[in-house]
Amino acid sequence: MKELLDLILPRDVLACFEVVKVCTTSARIDIYLDEKNIPPAEYSGQGVLSKGFTVPTSIQDFPLRGRAVYLHVRRREWQLPSGDVVSNKFSLAADGTRYSREFASFLKGILG
C-alpha cells in the first residue's frame, strides 16, 4: 500500500504525514493527511508538547481516473516551555495557489 501511495501522493509527503482516511465518489478522491508527531528539528530536546492540529488545508492534486484529487492536510502545533506555539514549515502547495507544487508546475507548462 505504501508503494502505491508513494506513486499517488506528492513527493516526500509520506515522510512527514500519515494517511488517516480516504473517501471516494464518482467525481473525486479526498485523501486526509495528519502530520506525524515529529517536532520541528530546531526545538528538539526542549520539552515541546503536541497541542493538536491546525485547521485542515485543502490542496488539489493531479486527477486520477477522471476524478479530482484533494489532499486535506492537518499540520501539528507544539507548545514550547515558554508558552509559544510552533509548527513545522511545509511547502506542499505552489505559492499563491491551492494546487500541489507538481500539479501547478504541470498546469503552467500546458497553459503557459
Side-chain angles (χ1 to χ4, degrees), residues 24-43:
T24 61
T25 66
S26 60
R28 65 189 279 165
I29 301 169
D30 293 282
I31 302 172
Y32 295 84
L33 301 158
D34 284 352
E35 183 179 355
K36 292 180 180 179
N37 194 2
I38 303 169
E42 62 267 26
Y43 301 106

Side-chain angles (χ1 to χ4, degrees), residues 3 6 10 13 16 18 28 35 39-40 48 50 53 57 64-66 70 75 83 86-87 89 93 100 107:
E3 292 171 358
D6 276 335
V13 165
C16 301
E18 55 192 352
R28 65 189 279 165
E35 183 179 355
V48 297
S50 178
F53 294 97
T57 300
L64 291 171
R65 301 281 182 190
Y70 292 90
R75 293 183 12 230
V86 297
S87 61
K89 305 293 183 238
S100 67
L107 291 174

Side-chain angles (χ1 to χ4, degrees), residues 35-106:
E35 183 179 355
K36 292 180 180 179
N37 194 2
I38 303 169
E42 62 267 26
Y43 301 106
S44 66
Q46 294 187 25
V48 297
L49 299 173
S50 178
K51 288 298 184 181
F53 294 97
T54 61
V55 175
T57 300
S58 295
I59 302 167
Q60 189 171 358
D61 199 21
F62 283 97
L64 291 171
R65 301 281 182 190
R67 297 186 217 181
V69 174
Y70 292 90
L71 309 176
H72 305 279
V73 179
R74 292 193 317 166
R75 293 183 12 230
R76 286 190 182 269
E77 295 181 319
W78 286 274
Q79 186 173 25
L80 300 174
S82 66
D84 293 335
V85 176
V86 297
S87 61
N88 282 308
K89 305 293 183 238
F90 298 103
S91 58
L92 299 175
D95 291 338
T97 73
R98 292 283 183 182
Y99 297 119
S100 67
R101 288 180 294 151
E102 292 89 351
F103 189 40
S105 178
F106 172 77

